[in-house]
Amino acid sequence: MTLARTEITVGNGDAARTIAVLERSGKAPGVLFLGGFMSDMRGTKAEALDAFAAETGRAITRFDYSGHGESSGAFADGTISRWLEEAAAVLDRAAGAPLVVVGSSMGGWIALLLALAEARSGRTRIAGLVLLAPAIDMTHSLILPHMSAEARAEMETTGAWRLPSAYSGTPYVITKALIEDGARHLLGEKPIAIRAPVHIIQGVLDEEVPWGHAVDLVSHLAEDDVVLTLVKDAGHRLSRPEDLAKIISAVAAIA
């Protein structure tokens, strides 16, 4: 049950990148954590889940997308396709299957895309999903509608729009490639069936992913067992002790 850091290579040739992975061995169901846009695998939620796994003897795997944290690659090269490929590669080697996949913000979108691929293939490596302020279809539902004419012009001219972050001095870099690639993965108004339980935890005070976005998602998960927890005094980060307790409770209930 020791914590080990490893690296895997995803992609070939010029597209190859080194992905940093933190793994703790243990029993199943294990946990796979998918972080958010411009976050990393050593954040508060990831560390709390690791502590839970260590205490309960469960396996847990977390990693950094390319361009994030300890992984290689430029952030500006990132797309949903690229990060989804990396998440799938980590899932392929993660211990403790079937896994409870915890997806935070953008990681919630990637978690659903992973689960849909698993359901289509008939595999049973995912025991359920815990989605934290899931930024489903974020490129077209959450980013594009809030871009001014000036921001769109900046993106067309330079290939990227730099959006100030409320959480750090480094702006979010929204590239034209990210927006265009995101269109390939939109879940939109289609029914979503992953054949596994889903628990969504959403802050009502979230300014990045409005709580109505989570309610809309529930309506599209009609074929699955879904629990939605709205936390009336929580924002986007869901990193307070009381929020972390809700996250761990949700993981434990599915596991």
Side-chain angles (χ1 to χ4, degrees):
M1 287 184 60
T2 57
L3 185 64
R5 184 189 183 282
T6 58
E7 293 181 345
I8 63 173
T9 300
V10 179
N12 300 302
D14 292 342
R17 57 270 190 206
T18 301
I19 303 304
V21 182
L22 283 174
E23 301 173 289
R24 186 181 296 278
S25 60
K27 64 184 180 183
V31 177
L32 172 61
F33 180 73
L34 307 181
F37 192 65
M38 284 186 68
S39 66
D40 63 68
M41 64 179 174
R42 296 185 187 271
T44 304
K45 293 186 285 290
E47 292 288 353
L49 286 166
D50 181 71
F52 161 75
E55 291 167 4
T56 57
R58 297 192 181 280
I60 184 169
T61 301
R62 44 189 164 135
F63 69 100
D64 284 330
Y65 306 112
S66 57
H68 292 66
E70 299 167 31
S71 291
S72 72
F75 179 82
D77 291 336
T79 62
I80 299 303
S81 291
R82 187 177 174 95
W83 294 328
L84 176 60
E85 180 187 19
E86 293 157 9
V90 173
L91 173 63
D92 283 344
R93 52 159 294 143
L99 300 159
V100 180
V101 180
V102 182
S104 176
S105 195
M106 181 187 75
W109 187 9
I110 292 177
L112 271 172
L113 293 171
L114 270 185
L116 282 168
E118 286 288 294
R120 286 193 293 265
S121 70
R123 293 189 293 260
T124 58
R125 296 182 297 179
I126 294 180
L129 303 181
V130 176
L131 307 178
L132 313 176
I136 308 305
D137 296 353
M138 70 176 197
T139 51
H140 288 65
S141 296
L142 301 174
I143 296 176
L144 277 179
H146 296 95
M147 289 183 67
S148 65
E150 292 78 9
R152 290 173 184 259
E154 179 185 343
M155 179 177 288
E156 286 297 324
T157 302
T158 69
W161 171 46
R162 287 156 183 80
L163 173 65
S165 169
Y167 307 110
S168 75
T170 303
Y172 293 124
V173 179
I174 311 297
T175 66
K176 185 178 180 181
L178 174 68
I179 297 297
E180 291 176 344
D181 177 78
R184 300 174 53 196
H185 300 287
L186 299 179
L187 299 174
E189 301 300 315
K190 299 175 291 187
I192 302 169
I194 64 169
R195 301 184 181 91
V198 180
H199 191 146
I200 302 168
I201 302 177
Q202 174 71 49
V204 173
L205 301 182
D206 190 333
E207 296 182 352
E208 281 74 24
V209 182
W211 64 269
H213 200 65
V215 174
D216 289 342
L217 174 59
V218 171
S219 69
H220 299 307
L221 287 162
E223 295 184 28
D224 296 302
D225 178 15
V226 182
V227 175
L228 171 62
T229 299
L230 293 176
V231 187
K232 65 181 182 180
D233 60 345
H236 186 64
R237 299 187 71 177
L238 294 171
S239 293
R240 305 171 303 173
E242 57 267 39
D243 302 328
L244 299 175
K246 289 181 176 65
I247 293 168
I248 289 169
S249 177
V251 171
I254 292 177

